[in-house]
Amino acid sequence: MRTSEDSTPDKYSVEAAVSLANEALRLPIADAVPIYDKLLTTFPTAAKYWKQYAEAHMVANNDDATKQIFSRCLLHCLQVPLWRCYLNFVRKANDKKGVDGQEETRKAFEFMLAYVGCDIGSGAVWVEYITFLKSLPAQSAQEESQRMTAIRKVYQKAVVTPTHHIEQIWRDYENFENSVSRALAKGLVSEYQPKYNSARAVYRELKKYVDEIDWNMLAVPPGGSSKEEAQWIAWKKLLAFEKENPQRIDTVSSNKRIAFTYEQCLMYLYHYSDVWYDYATWQATNVSIDSAINTFQRALKNLPDSEMLKYAYAELEESRGAIQSAKKVYESLIGDGVNVSPLSHIQYLRFLRRTEGVEIARKYFVETQQSPNCSYHVYVAYAMIAFCLDKERKIAHNVFEAGLNRFMHEPGYILEYADFLSRLNDEQNIRVLFERALSSLPQDKSIEVWDRFAQFEQTYGDLASMLKVERRRKEALSGTSEVGAFETSLKDIVSRYSFKGLYPCSPADLDHLARQDLLSRNISNKTEKPALENGAVVVDKGASMMGINSSTSYPGVSKKVIYDPRQISGAPSVSGVPVVSAAPSAPIVALTGSGMPSAPYEIPKTASPSLLAFITNLPAVEGPSPEIDFVLSICLQSNMQQVQVGKPGGSAAAVLPQQTGPAPSTSDLSGSSRPQQPAPSGSSFRSSRDRQPSKRKDFNRQDDDETTVQSQPLPKDIFRLRQMQKTRTVSQTGSTSHGSAFSGDLSGSTS
């Protein structure tokens, strides 16, 4: 968790940290020290930067500064490369000290392997330690025997540790035992062969989990990124794997491996409160309470603003009887009382009541009343403590009454007070409380109180009082979303005569009433939306439920021209009726909240008849996941527009709405005397031999166009087919119109 200071966006910037580290590399160590201190204060578990810092001092031969750096970081940065840097420093410092130096180096090896020897990458350290032991001189046979025994012990530890070098170490161990004594080697090798096989199998599984972890990741507060979440999951998987004890080793060794994994996890998830809590609770259960307390103290030192960890720590201290230690934790939550939260007051009240008695808790409540951070929750909490724990009914009632003068404007407090009076069966005072509250609460805050008042009368009142409160509720809440367009509804009966999940109707009836209530709310909330100057189609919430973006403004039909793929190369194919330009006064279609057009006989000119027929029959559904079966039933009941296309050379018929009235010609619609490609209409396409000769006499002006159309073979493309069909129709009628997607009748003239 972040403090107010830590919440600076650049404080935990990984890019800034890399830049600082690179800058420190280029500077002399004397100038780089402030940069390293700043960097490692922000990222105290960044082992790679600690290693870089130590190596910079080692190059400058600053041994004392190097020792100080290692003392600050080694125990909390359990990473093999950093520890190998420490080992190299120790070996370099002791190479020329003879026997004493060799002993110091051996102790450094033992120290390192005790902390990171179970790391999957520690195999090279085991090999290096064995090589170091083999290089030690032996002055006598006894010393030689001791040296061999020490080497054997290291080998036997290494071959049961799942590391990258486990197979190499096993081969070296076999050779070592055979070189010492072939007779003894057979028994020792056969004894450790099953343990080695188990460790090797565990290594192969362990490697899968380790490979998912980013070992160069810096510890930053959780930001919710996918990378952070992936690393959190990877560490959780690794911890779960270790807790299963797949190698079936003894409990002490298994707990050591688990603790080591937790410590490594905290290097990267340092700011995750849940990891600290999991580690502490695991220690309390499997290791010791003292180690769990030590972990909590470390966590609170690193995350001082985590209230969750403070409560968890106080709970652990109280559970083991350390009341004063727990009290200090609660007092740290209270602080100076300036920025304390109401929850801290409440939890401290409960703690004092549990541990120090009624009078101490009451005294603290009296002091808390003067605090500006004392909310109504504190009054409710103490009143319930007095009522439920102290059995002081009168004190609890007095606390509620004292708070009423201060929190009359809080609906939550009114409801809590009403619940308390209900426990006392004090019906008269409950009614008085509701009347007092409703006389002062504004309309937007009184909804919950009115609902509870109505519920109270349904439970304790007679029919007359019940109906009276419901009538008053509707009058008081008129104009809000809580009251629909209709004064009465059958759902009122359901509300009055239901009880704890038992209803006087079937689930289907409940669903029907819910839909009716939704429709009534839509009617009451419906407002007239002015048409945009450019003739945009207005779509509201109901339309957005059908996949129409309400923030998109579509150009009016007056701005559109007839679509012709022959004129626009590479234009997309559009299925449905092509758009016909209209005058600026063309009516605009607005889809209402129920998904129905505002004018039943006017449709958006951009949609195909099939799509319009589908949209028209869509129900008003709230929520992102409507019932699939219900939607499918609507689709099956819809009269979809169908298009039938004959074979090439044959006849083709498009079942479309029929035109019933005249409309302006194509040249009139376009505003130009130049003839343009006519718009398709609802007439069916017929071959030349089916046409009546009398009609040809009436339209002599279009004879040439007809001959041109007839001479062309029927196209396979449905859009081209419709274009030719419309050409034929316009030639016959001299006008265009649009059919209604609802009834097949003319929706209106385009002029």
Side-chain angles (χ1 to χ4, degrees):
M1 297 180 66
R2 306 187 190 194
T3 63
S4 58
E5 178 183 357
D6 294 343
S7 61
T8 306
D10 296 334
K11 182 177 178 62
Y12 293 101
S13 172
V14 177
E15 293 78 8
V18 174
S19 177
L20 282 175
N22 293 334
E23 180 184 356
L25 277 175
R26 295 190 295 267
L27 296 174
I29 185 59
D31 298 332
V33 167
I35 298 177
Y36 280 117
D37 288 340
K38 177 183 178 181
L39 182 63
L40 293 170
T41 301
T42 306
F43 301 100
T45 57
K48 59 181 180 180
Y49 294 144
W50 283 111
K51 179 174 177 289
Q52 179 179 319
Y53 192 13
E55 287 175 342
H57 278 294
M58 290 170 63
V59 170
N61 294 321
N62 297 333
D63 292 349
D64 293 338
T66 305
K67 291 179 182 179
Q68 186 178 5
I69 290 172
F70 283 130
S71 65
R72 291 167 58 189
C73 67
L74 278 181
L75 297 183
H76 300 303
C77 296
L78 303 182
Q79 192 184 61
V80 172
L82 175 64
W83 280 79
R84 293 197 71 175
C85 178
Y86 159 74
L87 186 62
N88 293 335
F89 170 73
V90 173
R91 296 192 69 173
K92 180 181 177 182
N94 292 281
D95 275 347
K96 298 179 181 180
K97 293 184 179 181
V99 177
D100 293 338
Q102 292 174 349
E103 181 64 18
E104 290 296 323
T105 302
R106 187 190 67 79
K107 290 180 180 180
F109 269 114
E110 291 288 345
F111 178 63
M112 176 178 178
L113 291 173
Y115 277 92
V116 297
C118 55
D119 190 281
I120 194 173
S122 64
V125 181
W126 288 101
V127 174
E128 186 178 353
Y129 185 29
I130 293 170
T131 303
F132 169 76
L133 292 177
K134 289 180 179 180
S135 66
L136 294 178
Q139 303 297 331
S140 63
Q142 183 179 2
E143 290 182 359
E144 177 67 15
S145 176
Q146 292 176 351
R147 184 172 68 91
M148 289 299 176
T149 301
I151 295 173
R152 179 177 290 110
K153 288 182 179 180
V154 175
Y155 265 125
Q156 291 173 350
K157 290 180 181 179
V159 296
V160 297
T161 303
T163 65
H164 295 309
H165 294 72
I166 187 171
E167 295 181 357
Q168 175 190 340
I169 295 173
W170 175 253
R171 289 192 297 268
D172 293 344
Y173 176 56
E174 286 182 315
N175 295 332
F176 168 76
E177 292 292 0
N178 287 323
S179 65
V180 175
S181 171
R182 288 188 173 274
L184 185 62
K186 185 176 181 181
L188 291 173
V189 169
S190 61
E191 177 185 354
Y192 277 88
Q193 180 80 48
K195 298 178 181 179
Y196 158 71
N197 291 337
S198 176
R200 185 178 61 176
V202 169
Y203 161 72
R204 293 172 180 172
E205 291 297 319
L206 179 63
K207 188 176 183 298
K208 298 177 183 178
Y209 295 101
V210 171
D211 289 344
E212 295 180 4
I213 294 174
D214 181 7
W215 297 96
N216 292 317
M217 175 182 173
L218 292 178
V220 297
S225 68
S226 58
K227 180 181 178 181
E228 293 173 357
E229 293 177 353
Q231 289 302 300
W232 183 86
I233 293 173
W235 278 108
K236 287 290 184 178
K237 289 181 179 179
L238 179 57
L239 286 166
F241 176 77
E242 291 290 357
K243 289 178 180 179
E244 291 175 357
N245 190 10
Q247 201 172 346
R248 300 296 182 266
I249 54 180
D250 61 278
T251 302
V252 175
S253 300
S254 176
N255 288 343
K256 182 180 178 181
R257 289 190 60 87
I258 296 171
F260 170 77
T261 307
Y262 267 117
E263 291 290 346
Q264 279 196 325
C265 177
L266 287 171
M267 289 175 58
Y268 304 94
L269 305 183
Y270 179 80
H271 295 275
Y272 286 67
S273 301
D274 62 305
V275 178
W276 286 103
Y277 177 74
D278 289 346
Y279 187 21
T281 52
W282 174 82
Q283 286 179 317
T285 304
N286 299 278
V287 184
S288 66
I289 298 294
D290 291 336
S291 52
I293 288 174
N294 180 54
T295 299
F296 272 125
Q297 290 173 347
R298 285 175 54 198
L300 292 176
K301 181 180 179 181
N302 299 324
L303 305 176
D305 292 336
S306 175
E307 290 188 18
M308 297 181 292
L309 290 177
K310 288 182 179 180
Y311 286 128
Y313 177 38
E315 185 179 85
L316 181 63
E317 292 283 17
E318 185 181 352
S319 65
R320 70 168 186 157
I323 304 301
Q324 293 304 315
S325 298
K327 187 174 182 179
K328 289 180 180 179
V329 179
Y330 281 107
E331 289 174 346
S332 68
L333 285 164
I334 302 300
D336 55 4
V338 176
N339 297 320
V340 61
S341 67
L343 181 61
S344 300
H345 286 307
I346 293 171
Q347 297 303 332
Y348 193 32
L349 265 174
R350 292 176 174 176
F351 171 77
L352 292 176
R353 172 62 181 77
R354 290 194 304 267
T355 58
E356 299 186 17
V358 177
E359 294 300 326
I360 301 298
R362 186 175 301 169
K363 181 180 179 181
Y364 179 74
F365 172 69
V366 172
E367 296 174 357
T368 304
Q369 292 180 19
Q370 311 303 322
S371 172
N373 298 316
C374 180
S375 68
Y376 77 86
H377 306 83
V378 180
Y379 279 75
V380 173
Y382 182 70
M384 298 314 296
I385 289 174
F387 179 65
C388 298
L389 299 180
D390 304 337
K391 312 302 179 184
E392 294 286 352
R393 170 178 171 177
K394 185 176 181 181
I395 292 178
H397 191 276
N398 292 339
V399 171
F400 271 116
E401 278 296 322
L404 193 62
N405 298 326
R406 184 173 177 180
F407 304 110
M408 179 66 79
H409 61 285
E410 293 286 353
Y413 186 76
I414 303 301
L415 299 180
E416 291 291 343
Y417 193 6
D419 287 341
F420 169 73
L421 294 175
S422 296
R423 294 186 181 187
L424 302 180
N425 291 324
D426 194 348
E427 300 177 17
Q428 183 177 357
N429 280 328
I430 292 176
R431 288 189 175 92
V432 172
L433 173 65
F434 281 133
E435 295 293 351
R436 288 175 61 187
L438 292 172
S439 64
S440 60
L441 284 173
Q443 185 187 58
D444 58 333
K445 287 188 175 183
S446 65
I447 296 174
E448 289 182 278
V449 180
W450 274 114
D451 291 343
R452 184 66 65 85
F453 194 8
Q455 183 182 4
F456 166 77
E457 291 295 348
Q458 291 171 10
T459 305
Y460 299 99
D462 54 21
L463 183 59
S465 62
M466 189 189 313
L467 297 177
K468 180 180 178 181
V469 169
E470 289 190 1
R471 185 180 69 254
R472 290 177 56 198
R473 175 186 176 277
K474 291 182 179 180
E475 293 174 354
L477 301 181
S478 60
T480 66
S481 60
E482 295 299 313
V483 179
F486 308 108
E487 294 184 358
T488 60
S489 174
L490 195 57
K491 71 182 183 66
D492 297 335
I493 297 295
V494 175
S495 175
R496 286 197 292 268
Y497 292 96
S498 60
F499 181 77
K500 294 187 180 297
L502 303 176
Y503 299 97
C505 58
S506 65
D509 291 334
L510 278 178
D511 182 67
H512 177 67
L513 290 174
R515 294 178 184 276
Q516 284 186 330
D517 184 53
L518 174 61
L519 290 174
S520 66
R521 289 170 188 256
N522 288 338
I523 292 174
S524 64
N525 294 332
K526 180 180 178 182
T527 57
E528 293 296 333
K529 298 184 179 180
L532 301 180
E533 293 182 0
N534 63 348
V537 176
V538 182
V539 183
D540 69 354
K541 179 181 177 181
S544 64
M545 293 163 54
M546 297 182 294
I548 303 175
N549 188 353
S550 60
S551 62
T552 305
S553 295
Y554 300 94
V557 293
S558 62
K559 305 290 184 181
K560 300 179 180 178
V561 296
I562 299 171
Y563 173 78
D564 187 355
R566 293 175 297 182
Q567 299 174 1
I568 305 176
S569 59
S573 175
V574 180
S575 62
V577 180
V579 177
V580 180
S581 60
S585 61
I588 305 304
V589 176
L591 296 182
T592 63
S594 61
M596 296 293 291
S598 61
Y601 295 105
E602 294 179 4
I603 57 177
K605 304 302 186 296
T606 58
S608 66
S610 300
L611 178 60
L612 287 172
F614 173 72
I615 293 176
T616 301
N617 289 279
L618 281 178
V621 180
E622 274 194 350
S625 301
E627 287 190 29
I628 300 301
D629 294 337
F630 182 76
V631 175
L632 288 177
S633 66
I634 294 297
C635 296
L636 293 175
Q637 295 171 11
S638 300
N639 296 324
M640 296 296 183
Q641 300 289 341
Q642 299 180 356
V643 176
Q644 299 176 355
V645 182
K647 297 180 180 179
S651 61
V655 182
L656 294 172
Q658 299 177 358
Q659 60 182 15
T660 61
S665 63
T666 307
S667 60
D668 294 335
L669 291 172
S670 62
S672 174
S673 60
R674 177 177 56 86
Q676 297 185 11
Q677 180 68 24
S681 68
S683 303
S684 60
F685 177 78
R686 294 176 295 179
S687 61
S688 59
R689 65 174 177 268
D690 297 332
R691 201 177 297 122
Q692 299 295 332
S694 59
K695 292 185 177 181
R696 187 176 301 173
K697 295 178 182 179
D698 295 334
F699 302 100
N700 294 327
R701 190 168 58 87
Q702 283 84 6
D703 284 347
D704 295 336
D705 295 337
E706 291 178 355
T707 305
T708 303
V709 175
Q710 293 174 17
S711 63
Q712 297 176 353
L714 286 176
K716 295 182 180 181
D717 182 27
I718 183 60
F719 181 82
R720 296 290 302 277
L721 183 61
R722 289 183 176 179
Q723 288 290 88
M724 295 176 63
Q725 171 187 345
K726 293 304 176 181
T727 303
R728 178 73 57 190
T729 303
V730 173
S731 298
Q732 296 175 2
T733 62
S735 62
T736 58
S737 64
H738 290 280
S740 170
F742 304 101
S743 63
D745 296 332
L746 178 66
S747 62
S749 175
T750 56
S751 59

